[in-house]
């Protein structure tokens, strides 16, 4: 891939990489609840999911998603159900965002947070459709090319990882705000409601 094409790909990928979505919402949640390092772990899970999507799109899965209503519906319902599950869990868990209790829990559950972010990533049909629309514009038309797939997938995943890392570092200051029961309760309900809202929106989304 020529350097000019790669730089153009980065430029056009910035907006979808930083735009709000389930992955960004999860990064904010993990930052507020568990802290910076836990969010970096979940950001890595999200990035791995995007790399997997990139390879799947290069191998033809994106075309299937774009043309098969059933495949799109099944995947979006799985993703929507998982987001709603997270939202209800956050809403009901009174220990959510209690920074003193959750710092230790976050350090113990990096693997769980990584897996959670990976699942959110690979079940987000909008991410699949964005990558499906974006990648072919920068890939050779003559079949599967491993080098191009690696470059594009890793680049897009790295941009998303950097966005989540920025959230992780910026959120450290916000955590200091969560020192009262009233603020904790408000944050828990807003965050839970946003996850449920994202899930509901995903469930009703069309291609």
């Amino acid at each position: 891939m020529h350097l000019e094409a790669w730089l153009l790909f980065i430029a056009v990928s910035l907006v979808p990489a930083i735009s709000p979505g389930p992955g960004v919402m999860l990064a904010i949640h993990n930052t507020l609840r568990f802290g910076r390092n836990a969010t970096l772990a979940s950001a890595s899970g999200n990035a791995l999911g995007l790399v997997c999507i990139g390879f799947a799109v290069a191998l033809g899965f994106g075309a299937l998603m774009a043309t098969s209503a059933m495949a799109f519906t099944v995947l979006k319902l799985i993703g929507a159900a998982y987001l709603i599950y997270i939202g209800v869990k956050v809403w009901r868990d009174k220990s959510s965002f209690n920074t003193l209790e959750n710092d230790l829990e976050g350090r113990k559950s990096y693997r769980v947070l990584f897996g959670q972010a990976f699942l959110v990533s690979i079940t987000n049909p909008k991410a699949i459709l964005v990558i499906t629309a974006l990648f072919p514009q920068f890939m050779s038309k003559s079949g599967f090319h491993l080098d191009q797939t690696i470059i594009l997938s890793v680049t897009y995943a790295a941009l998303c990882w950097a966005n989540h890392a920025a959230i992780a570092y910026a959120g450290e200051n916000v955590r200091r705000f969560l020192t009262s029961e009233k603020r904790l309760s408000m944050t828990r309900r807003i965050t839970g409601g946003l996850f449920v809202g994202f899930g509901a929106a995903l469930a009703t989304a069309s291609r």
Side-chain angles (χ1 to χ4, degrees):
M1 177 175 290
H2 295 295
L3 178 61
E4 294 82 2
W6 181 65
L7 293 175
L8 179 60
F9 173 76
I10 292 176
V12 300
S13 297
L14 283 174
V15 172
I18 66 175
S19 59
V24 170
M25 191 65 226
L26 188 62
I28 295 172
H29 165 264
N30 288 337
T31 298
L32 295 180
R33 183 169 186 180
F34 300 117
R36 180 181 63 203
N37 291 336
T39 305
L40 296 179
S42 70
S44 299
N46 179 78
L48 178 60
L50 292 173
V51 170
C52 292
I53 292 174
F55 271 83
V57 166
L59 292 169
F61 182 71
L64 172 64
M65 285 290 296
T67 58
S68 172
M70 179 174 291
F72 180 84
T73 300
V74 169
L75 191 61
K76 79 172 183 177
L77 290 179
I78 292 173
Y82 191 59
L83 289 174
I84 292 172
Y85 164 77
I86 294 174
V88 172
K89 185 177 179 181
V90 170
W91 183 291
R92 297 180 62 185
D93 185 0
K94 293 184 178 180
S95 67
S96 292
F97 306 113
N98 187 321
T99 58
L100 294 177
E101 293 184 16
N102 287 311
D103 280 338
L104 181 59
E105 181 186 346
R107 287 195 292 272
K108 290 181 177 179
S109 60
Y110 288 169
R111 191 175 301 175
V112 173
L113 296 176
F114 180 96
Q116 183 183 61
F118 177 78
L119 183 59
V120 168
S121 179
I122 63 171
T123 57
N124 184 356
K126 289 299 183 181
I128 296 173
L129 295 182
V130 166
I131 291 175
T132 300
L134 194 59
F135 279 27
Q137 311 306 317
F138 297 88
M139 299 182 73
S140 173
K141 306 302 182 184
S142 57
F144 175 77
H145 292 269
L146 180 62
D147 54 348
Q148 293 179 348
T149 302
I150 291 174
I151 291 170
L152 295 178
S153 300
V154 172
T155 298
Y156 188 76
L159 291 173
C160 294
W161 188 94
N163 182 43
H164 291 196
I167 292 171
Y169 280 89
E172 283 292 298
N173 295 324
V174 179
R175 294 188 86 210
R176 301 189 185 99
F177 174 78
L178 302 176
T179 55
S180 72
E181 183 62 35
K182 184 177 180 180
R183 291 171 181 172
L184 288 170
S185 178
M186 176 185 67
T187 303
R188 187 179 73 247
R189 291 175 180 176
I190 291 174
T191 305
L194 286 173
F195 270 114
V196 172
F198 270 118
L202 182 58
T204 58
S206 61
R207 290 175 294 166

